[in-house]
Amino acid sequence: ANTQLRSHMARSSSAAPSGNGEDPVKKRNSKRVSDNSSSQESPRSLANTLTARKRGEREKSLAIFDWITRNIVYDMPSLKLGIYTLQEPEFTLKSRRAVCGGFAKLFEALAREAGLEARTVIGFAKGTGFSPGDSLQGNITNHVWNAVKIDGKWQLLDCTWGGGIFEGNDRYRSRYEPFYFCPDPKHLVYTHFPEDPRWQLLDVPVTPKVFINLPQVWPDFFRHRIRCVNARYGNLNARGLLTLRFASPDNVRLSAASVDPDGKKKINSTFCQRLNGESVVHFASRRLGLHTLELYARNGVNPLRYRNVESISATLVAKYSIRVLAPEVTLSPFPKTFAIFADARARLESPLSRNLTAGHIHHFRVEVPGAREVLLKAGLQRISLNRDGSWFETQVRIERGEILLLARFGMANRYWHLLRFEGI
């Protein structure tokens, strides 16, 4: 096992997930802290210090996980050079640096000194540079994590990913991520695939083919309780319009963007809205080839309490690879949506295309629950849409230039941008 672990560390190319923007979850003591212990401390004395006042195996395991994730940093210099220093626990305690093998070995050593039963798990993880559908061949063991027995039941954890993230390919940022302490095995298997299928801790282990085709997900995917309805695989084909459906709580707002085959981000190739209690993401592109769809999520905001819309941020929660086999020229690109569109749980029925033919009459129909008025603004035109309950609609001949749909809520006189079209 040690020989295999050393071989793994010598060829490891990525051991932490890439960054995904601001995290909306407030994590306790998320900044790295100093433990004031001597760098010469042994695993036994440190384990005793960390767990002396802890009750039960879970508290002891968490104390060790917390200390490692907040005090050991990823050894980026070694990763860049491809020359790895010793990863034994004593050396890691002294240097306070390690690659994934060092993180895992240190957790196992401290856990055993604390009287816990622990194992090192070797396998493949979807880290930086991975795209859904990538092959596992030749790279089956690029990561190491742990299993620990708590109250008679094995649990999984990853101190490396719990301690920080990669930003690009050459920068590591320390950031405490509690998700990787004892996550549900059904969630961790989206990103971690052990060589020994027993360490999936699933009644029915997934196969390599299923694992590699699962979408790449981040912790907020599960924190927001998002579930794939018809998009359970991350490697998809598109012939014209592609619609992905997700189940999510009513207060979760999804948005999306795509990256084209040239690596350019496109925000108008996707369109998101709530339909029949689900979050629906439409994707369409005129460009053939392999695209990446990025799914973002955030908590909703009450439109009546809107203040600074720019402060509303979302985090990356999932990625899909989409190969466009036949272009969609009718709908692409989609209208631009603003934050209030999602927060008002608005629904656009027509038009679904951003580009509208100037000089023609177009039918606008949109549902905006809670809105007092929806206004169309195009050049000098200001047209209040006809209201029927929560639905608003009108027909209007449009000219060249920007076309905006705006909404007003409650007794406020302020109008918020919902959607933007273009007369061409």
Side-chain angles (χ1 to χ4, degrees):
N2 287 337
T3 301
Q4 190 175 21
L5 184 56
R6 284 194 294 270
S7 174
H8 153 74
M9 290 184 292
R11 65 179 183 270
S12 176
S13 60
S14 66
S18 57
N20 62 339
E22 294 299 320
D23 194 329
V25 180
K26 295 182 179 178
K27 301 180 180 64
R28 58 182 179 82
N29 303 324
S30 59
K31 294 183 179 180
R32 188 165 300 278
V33 296
S34 173
D35 64 308
N36 297 320
S37 64
S38 168
S39 60
Q40 301 299 321
E41 191 164 25
S42 69
R44 174 169 295 181
S45 61
L46 178 57
N48 290 337
T49 300
L50 295 176
T51 64
R53 297 184 179 180
K54 302 301 179 183
R55 297 181 178 179
E57 293 172 337
R58 185 178 183 85
E59 282 193 14
K60 291 180 179 181
S61 300
L62 180 58
I64 296 170
F65 174 88
D66 281 357
W67 188 93
I68 294 175
T69 55
R70 292 186 171 117
N71 291 279
I72 307 299
V73 298
Y74 196 84
D75 191 354
M76 287 299 297
S78 292
L79 179 67
K80 292 178 183 178
L81 293 173
I83 302 173
Y84 299 97
T85 57
L86 293 174
Q87 299 298 306
E88 299 306 315
E90 293 79 6
F91 187 86
T92 299
L93 283 180
K94 182 177 180 180
S95 67
R96 299 301 172 89
R97 290 183 177 275
V99 294
C100 55
F103 279 86
K105 279 191 170 186
L106 180 57
F107 179 87
E108 183 175 352
L110 294 176
R112 289 185 172 181
E113 292 292 353
L116 301 169
E117 190 174 352
R119 298 287 189 276
T120 293
V121 180
I122 300 174
F124 179 86
K126 298 175 180 178
T128 303
F130 176 85
S131 295
D134 283 355
S135 174
L136 283 179
Q137 294 180 0
N139 200 25
I140 191 66
T141 57
N142 75 341
H143 192 46
V144 185
W145 57 100
N146 292 105
V148 62
K149 186 174 284 188
I150 297 176
D151 299 329
K153 182 179 179 180
W154 285 103
Q155 303 279 357
L156 300 169
L157 58 93
D158 188 339
C159 292
T160 310
W161 285 27
I165 59 173
F166 277 108
E167 295 178 330
N169 293 321
D170 59 359
R171 185 181 174 191
Y172 176 84
R173 178 162 64 93
S174 297
R175 188 181 72 178
Y176 179 66
E177 177 50 84
F179 173 83
Y180 294 107
F181 178 76
C182 300
D184 188 325
K186 296 193 299 292
H187 297 165
L188 192 66
V189 79
Y190 273 74
T191 53
H192 290 59
F193 188 79
E195 278 190 320
D196 186 341
R198 291 178 299 175
W199 290 116
Q200 292 182 28
L201 303 185
L202 298 174
D203 293 335
V204 181
V206 302
T207 65
K209 182 178 180 180
V210 169
F211 166 77
I212 209 67
N213 282 298
L214 289 172
Q216 187 176 12
V217 298
W218 280 262
D220 280 347
F221 184 88
F222 302 109
R223 274 196 281 259
H224 284 299
R225 291 184 292 147
I226 301 168
R227 182 172 55 83
C228 305
V229 176
N230 73 331
R232 287 179 285 181
Y233 295 106
N235 198 30
L236 305 172
N237 292 327
R239 294 176 174 85
L241 178 67
L242 179 67
T243 299
L244 285 69
R245 294 163 41 223
F246 300 91
S248 61
D250 194 50
N251 69 325
V252 173
R253 309 291 180 250
L254 298 187
S255 58
S258 67
V259 179
D260 71 12
D262 294 328
K264 297 179 180 178
K265 183 167 286 192
K266 304 288 185 179
I267 61 173
N268 291 319
S269 293
T270 59
F271 188 82
C272 305
Q273 58 184 347
R274 293 284 291 186
L275 292 175
N276 302 320
E278 295 178 344
S279 294
V280 175
V281 179
H282 298 298
F283 168 82
S285 177
R286 301 183 180 187
R287 178 81 183 275
L288 298 177
L290 188 63
H291 300 247
T292 299
L293 185 140
E294 299 176 342
L295 186 69
Y296 296 82
R298 62 176 174 84
N299 290 323
V301 178
N302 188 330
L304 297 177
R305 299 177 182 175
Y306 257 48
R307 293 294 183 268
N308 181 11
V309 179
E310 300 303 322
S311 67
I312 301 174
S313 61
T315 58
L316 177 65
V317 296
K319 277 187 180 181
Y320 288 81
S321 289
I322 301 175
R323 185 170 294 279
V324 176
L325 303 176
E328 168 54 64
V329 297
T330 305
L331 296 178
S332 179
F334 291 106
K336 172 179 173 56
T337 59
F338 295 86
I340 189 67
F341 182 84
D343 284 312
R345 291 179 294 169
R347 171 186 174 186
L348 178 65
E349 188 172 281
S350 66
L352 281 176
S353 177
R354 182 189 69 182
N355 296 332
L356 307 178
T357 305
H360 287 211
I361 294 176
H362 293 272
H363 181 210
F364 292 83
R365 178 171 166 82
V366 61
E367 183 181 26
V368 191
R372 288 178 58 86
E373 181 185 12
V374 173
L375 186 72
L376 183 147
K377 178 182 176 183
L380 298 178
Q381 294 185 92
R382 302 289 189 276
I383 300 173
S384 184
L385 276 64
N386 300 317
R387 180 178 179 180
D388 182 9
S390 61
W391 285 93
F392 298 81
E393 66 181 316
T394 190
Q395 295 191 72
V396 59
R397 186 185 305 276
I398 60 100
E399 304 299 330
R400 291 182 180 273
E402 181 182 72
I403 303 161
L404 294 170
L405 283 185
L406 307 98
R408 182 166 63 92
F409 299 89
M411 301 305 296
N413 291 322
R414 181 170 182 176
Y415 289 85
W416 296 98
H417 289 63
L418 289 173
L419 297 156
R420 185 173 71 196
F421 305 84
E422 192 75 23
I424 60 173

